[in-house]
Amino acid sequence: MSISRASLQSICLRFPETCLIPHVKSLPCASISFSITNARLLPHIHLCEKTQAKKRRSNQADVPDQLRQEVESCYRLRMPEDFYQFWKFCEELKPDKPSEALVSSIGLKLVGPYDILAGKHKRATSANLNFNLHWRFFYDPPEFQTIIAGDSKTQYHMGYFRDVPDELPVWVGSNEAKKSCVISQIGDNVFAAVKLFLSEKLKKVTDKNRSSILKDIDESLTRTAKELGYSLEQKTMKMKQRDKKVVTKTFHGAGLVVPVDKNDVGYRELPETNANLKRICKAIVDAPSDEQRLKAFAPIQEMMTFVQFANDECDYGMGYELGMDLFCYGSHYFHKVVGQLLSLAYNLLRRNLFAEIVESHLAKRSDENVDQLAA
């Protein structure tokens, strides 16, 4: 049963003893329904979207809008609120250098878009700085945006993973670029990701003083995350729902998501398994001569023909998968093919920014020099 606010005000004024809303006039934009129990009006207030948005905004990190806009314009990516909230958390730990708040304790440094919050970009000497290559490691696909760097020996780093460039990240992942292309899911926000990393550190620490420091940080991080309403689970329901949309895992394991309609148009499988495709790639890379390498490329050329047929029939996910697998294999022998496959796939999927990123990355792909702001 529902009623207008004006009518409810009238009822409350006429029968004040039955009304449980003493401040109806102060109610924001809302719809009100009610039930009658034991001769008393029991209101059910449903806040409208504007009111809910105001409530959400009250939970925003105290980071100036101008600075937020600067981060997002440099990367041309929207940043989630946990990105800014984590900066404020680190600011409390180390007000003078928030980026280094976790360096001495757990070996993690805030990088990438955090460098803009720290003002480091203002000291950049290059006028043609490409922020989407800033802290982009060798195996980072365009979907991955590094925000935290760890052990330089393994090139451990954490980052946001997006399926679509104009949407918010689907989760936070980690990779060790010196070891492999594999991206692991470590939570749907940066608090959860760092919490997991911290928990692993605590298991290995034997020194009591160091253990005490880590526990203090862990407690502070946990408390802050809970106050802000962030889940600290490694795998949330939202992440599980995203997993159901994955059409193929690919070599990096993070999976690819493409639109697939009710007639299953959007993706078709490659004719080779991951294991077979890796064997084909190995034969190409290990070929003793260019002539042998050209012959070893035959199965890839055949798959590229299948991709052309698939694209003609709107199964854009096939070329996307092949391109990503070859990118993840990492050999420069595949860079030209990767550029063709992924650029086309991203543009067909209307993920144009990702096409730009992969083209720029392939042109300057390197194991080192990931910090574009380094002097």
Side-chain angles (χ1 to χ4, degrees):
M1 184 176 182
S2 63
I3 192 169
S4 70
R5 194 185 322 168
S7 299
L8 188 54
Q9 279 180 263
S10 176
I11 293 170
C12 287
L13 289 171
R14 191 172 178 186
F15 305 105
E17 71 281 359
T18 68
C19 189
L20 294 180
I21 310 180
H23 305 293
V24 175
K25 287 184 179 178
S26 66
L27 283 174
C29 162
S31 64
I32 306 166
S33 62
F34 71 94
S35 57
I36 300 175
T37 306
N38 297 328
R40 294 178 70 80
L41 281 171
L42 300 178
H44 307 282
I45 303 165
H46 312 282
L47 297 180
C48 68
E49 287 183 9
K50 286 183 180 178
T51 306
Q52 289 175 333
K54 284 180 182 177
K55 190 175 180 183
R56 284 196 298 271
R57 282 198 293 271
S58 67
N59 202 30
Q60 277 192 344
D62 183 20
V63 175
D65 287 344
Q66 187 178 352
L67 199 50
R68 290 169 178 262
Q69 289 166 10
E70 200 166 356
V71 172
E72 297 189 7
S73 64
C74 283
Y75 278 88
R76 289 179 287 164
L77 294 166
R78 288 167 58 207
M79 303 302 293
E81 193 59 28
D82 64 278
F83 168 79
Y84 299 107
Q85 293 285 13
F86 195 75
W87 174 257
K88 299 306 289 185
F89 169 73
C90 289
E91 206 171 49
E92 288 180 12
L93 296 177
K94 193 168 186 175
D96 57 330
K97 289 186 177 180
S99 297
E100 297 177 15
L102 301 172
V103 173
S104 61
S105 55
I106 56 175
L108 295 181
K109 181 182 180 182
L110 307 191
V111 298
Y114 280 122
D115 288 337
I116 297 171
L117 295 186
K120 292 181 183 178
H121 65 303
K122 293 176 182 176
R123 301 192 295 271
T125 53
S126 174
N128 300 316
L129 186 67
N130 185 342
F131 277 96
N132 280 308
L133 293 184
H134 184 44
W135 287 95
R136 181 163 296 282
F137 289 83
F138 189 82
Y139 288 112
D140 291 350
E143 293 81 358
F144 194 85
Q145 178 192 25
T146 300
I147 57 171
I148 293 176
D151 186 358
S152 59
K153 291 178 182 177
T154 63
Q155 290 190 335
Y156 177 89
H157 56 292
M158 299 178 184
Y160 288 122
F161 193 95
R162 293 172 175 81
D163 289 321
V164 182
D166 54 4
E167 292 180 6
L168 290 171
V170 288
W171 39 258
V172 178
S174 67
N175 167 256
E176 292 179 289
K178 287 292 186 182
K179 292 184 177 181
S180 75
C181 65
V182 174
I183 299 171
S184 303
Q185 298 182 17
I186 52 175
D188 77 355
N189 63 84
V190 66
F191 286 93
V194 174
K195 165 81 173 175
L196 180 66
F197 183 88
L198 195 49
S199 300
E200 293 300 318
K201 281 277 184 186
L202 273 166
K203 290 176 186 175
K204 299 172 185 176
V205 171
T206 53
D207 181 75
K208 286 186 178 180
N209 289 335
R210 185 162 168 73
S211 179
S212 178
I213 292 169
L214 296 187
K215 283 178 181 176
D216 286 345
I217 296 173
D218 184 49
E219 287 172 10
S220 180
L221 184 146
T222 301
R223 184 173 59 253
T224 303
K226 286 183 177 177
E227 285 173 359
L228 294 169
Y230 292 119
S231 168
L232 292 173
E233 294 177 37
Q234 182 179 356
K235 191 90 167 181
T236 63
M237 184 58 69
K238 187 178 80 171
M239 293 167 70
K240 290 174 184 175
Q241 288 171 346
R242 184 262 179 187
D243 284 349
K244 292 177 182 177
K245 299 176 185 177
V246 169
V247 293
T248 178
K249 283 289 185 183
T250 72
F251 288 179
H252 61 45
L256 303 181
V257 172
V258 296
V260 178
D261 68 17
K262 61 184 178 182
N263 297 316
D264 283 338
V265 175
Y267 171 76
R268 70 177 66 172
E269 292 183 350
L270 290 173
E272 301 287 350
T273 63
N274 278 357
N276 283 345
L277 184 53
K278 285 178 182 177
R279 277 194 286 271
I280 292 168
C281 290
K282 190 175 188 305
I284 293 168
V285 173
D286 294 346
S289 66
D290 289 342
E291 187 181 355
Q292 295 274 37
R293 187 169 291 111
L294 199 59
K295 288 180 181 177
F297 246 110
I300 300 291
Q301 293 289 356
E302 185 180 26
M303 278 187 272
M304 288 183 72
T305 302
F306 293 150
V307 166
Q308 288 176 352
F309 293 142
N311 285 340
D312 289 343
E313 295 172 13
C314 300
D315 286 330
Y316 307 140
M318 188 184 198
Y320 186 14
E321 179 183 8
L322 180 59
M324 187 56 68
D325 282 343
L326 296 179
F327 173 86
C328 289
Y329 198 81
S331 172
H332 68 278
Y333 291 120
F334 303 122
H335 282 185
K336 185 177 179 181
V337 173
V338 170
Q340 293 170 352
L341 288 168
L342 285 184
S343 294
L344 180 58
Y346 284 134
N347 284 316
L348 289 171
L349 290 164
R350 298 181 182 178
R351 302 176 186 179
N352 304 57
L353 178 58
F354 287 169
E356 288 182 39
I357 292 172
V358 79
E359 287 165 11
S360 300
H361 191 191
L362 289 171
K364 295 183 177 181
R365 199 176 187 188
S366 170
D367 287 330
E368 310 296 337
N369 306 320
V370 293
D371 184 358
Q372 302 292 303
L373 296 175

